[in-house]
Amino acid sequence: MKPFLSAAILCLSASGFAQPSPKTTYLRCGSLYDGKTDAARRNVTIRITGDKIDTITDNAAPAGADVIDLSREVCLPGLIDTHTHVLLQGDITAADYDVQLLKQSTAYRTILATVSARRALDYGFTTIRDLETEGAGYADVDLRNAIAAAVVPGPRMKVAGRAMDVTGAYPLHGYSWELKVPKGVQEVDGADDCRKAVREQISNGVDWIKVYSDRSYFVRPDGVLDDVPTFTIDELRAIVDEAHRERHKVASHAAALNGVHNSVEAGVNSIEHGMYIADADLTTMVAKGIYYVPTLFVGEYVAQGRAAEGAKVWVDMIKIHEDTFRRALKAGVKIAFGTDAGGFDWKIDPAKEFAIMVKYGMSPAQALHAANMSAAELLGMQDEVGSIEPGKFADIVAVPADPLQDIQQLEKVDFVMKGGTVYRHAQP
Ligand SMILES: [Zn+2]
């Protein structure tokens, strides 16, 4: 039976169904920020063929062409969020987190994640780097693949799978020692174990390696945010070396003094959160080209809830974070837009992060750049996304008015195209 069946299939494909020629669509934009310069171009026509941008001209579309009229809108490159958790639906308190790991199956959580991914796309995020599943195994690898295969709608995804921390450092915590509870990470100890975990995670399909480099924060009398570093420097170096050897990058959750310092010394590719970063480490970040992904909004969002649980340090950290962000900006550290969405409810638009970046000293153009080319470069996708240029994916969003005049326009995305397909077009 088998050989016969294959022959039949061969016959069918040999009969040569003609590939339909890729569809051509025109976008007429009232103005355009292309992601390369900060100047707006007025009355621009973008021709899209298949999933790619073809030409960008000042001419009107040809008569009879398929035109999407955005002439009263401002067009921008699709936004990129480099720090999300689609498998997480908010975790202000330990209880919020634990219930997801204890009472929801991975299958159920993955169904929820498809909704989060769809929300991300609707907000205008056409690419995300999802930085670990919080106990849901490699469900992000499956979701990434399902989106890429157009099974479900969502942003382009780069994923980190299970992430790593050392034994005992990561929730779930506080249960009877007789119970075997799930963990939000893969626990690894010792350089060899770390290398093995990197190999295992990469073989299971992750794009990025994510590590948690510190925990247990407190503010010293001199205002420095101190921590307990999780990994030894040898362990971190083993992770970074093994990941880089296999052409993968490392994102390090590092919120305070020692976690950041060890991560920077080990040569990770991005510092996540970085609420406190010493000046000397900022200098090293510039020298090594290490990105800072500050995730400002989530800190403000969770602070009151965590303070109510007794961890007042989260309130103090807001001011420390602002100061660090301002120092990083001044030092010229590369900053990529990232929000930790999923750490807050996906019903909240992660684009709220932009207004805080501007409040803390970025120009609106810098904030937008962080979510366009800067984020694309961190992800190694600078030839595919991050700007509106011929040959790149047609990932284009639109907002009602100029975001460089009013950064909160980015919370009003009303048109979303990803790879030439329109996912959202709210009629004004
Ligand atoms: Zn996170």
Side-chain angles (χ1 to χ4, degrees), residues 218-226 320:
F218 69 98
V219 183
R220 291 192 330 209
D222 62 359
V224 168
L225 185 68
D226 211 335
I320 294 171

Side-chain angles (χ1 to χ4, degrees), residues 146-367:
I147 290 170
V151 176
V152 288
R156 302 176 196 287
M157 288 179 75
K158 296 287 182 189
V159 303
R162 301 174 65 191
M164 294 175 201
D165 203 337
V166 300
T167 292
Y170 203 82
L172 303 186
H173 284 140
Y175 295 87
S176 159
W177 56 267
E178 289 164 300
L179 286 176
K180 185 114 185 88
V181 293
K183 291 286 175 181
V185 289
Q186 180 169 7
E187 291 186 329
V188 291
D189 301 286
D192 288 348
D193 203 14
C194 288
R195 271 186 202 277
K196 187 177 181 208
V198 171
R199 291 171 184 170
E200 189 180 304
Q201 294 197 359
I202 290 175
S203 76
N204 283 327
V206 304
D207 303 295
W208 277 74
I209 297 298
K210 163 88 180 280
V211 293
Y212 286 86
S213 297
D214 59 17
R215 65 182 181 87
S216 188
Y217 309 113
F218 69 98
V219 183
R220 291 192 330 209
D222 62 359
V224 168
L225 185 68
D226 211 335
D227 56 2
V228 173
T230 53
F231 294 99
T232 64
I233 187 77
D234 282 348
E235 288 169 327
L236 270 182
R237 283 206 171 108
I239 290 168
V240 171
D241 180 65
E242 189 59 35
H244 287 177
R245 216 171 55 78
E246 298 196 50
R247 292 199 288 270
H248 284 65
K249 292 182 181 174
V250 180
S252 176
H253 164 113
L257 182 67
N258 303 296
V260 171
H261 180 72
N262 290 348
S263 299
V264 165
E265 286 300 308
V268 303
N269 299 91
S270 64
I271 294 292
E272 308 299 314
H273 313 302
M275 287 163 179
Y276 177 81
I277 307 176
D279 284 333
D281 290 326
L282 289 175
T283 305
T284 311
M285 287 173 75
V286 174
K288 293 189 175 181
I290 298 171
Y291 280 79
Y292 177 32
V293 180
T295 72
L296 302 166
F297 170 72
V298 69
E300 291 194 10
Y301 179 75
V302 300
Q304 296 305 333
R306 289 190 179 168
E309 270 202 332
K312 193 186 142 301
V313 65
W314 286 88
V315 175
D316 302 330
M317 282 198 277
I318 295 173
K319 189 79 198 86
I320 294 171
H321 208 171
E322 175 181 351
D323 175 65
T324 303
F325 184 81
R326 289 182 186 277
R327 286 187 293 110
L329 199 55
K330 214 167 145 193
V333 174
K334 292 196 272 191
I335 297 176
F337 183 93
T339 65
D340 217 3
F344 55 91
D345 196 317
W346 277 98
K347 291 193 190 81
I348 299 168
D349 187 345
K352 285 179 180 295
E353 180 84 11
F354 286 107
I356 303 178
M357 293 168 106
V358 170
K359 188 170 85 179
Y360 291 176
M362 266 189 166
S363 69
Q366 283 177 309

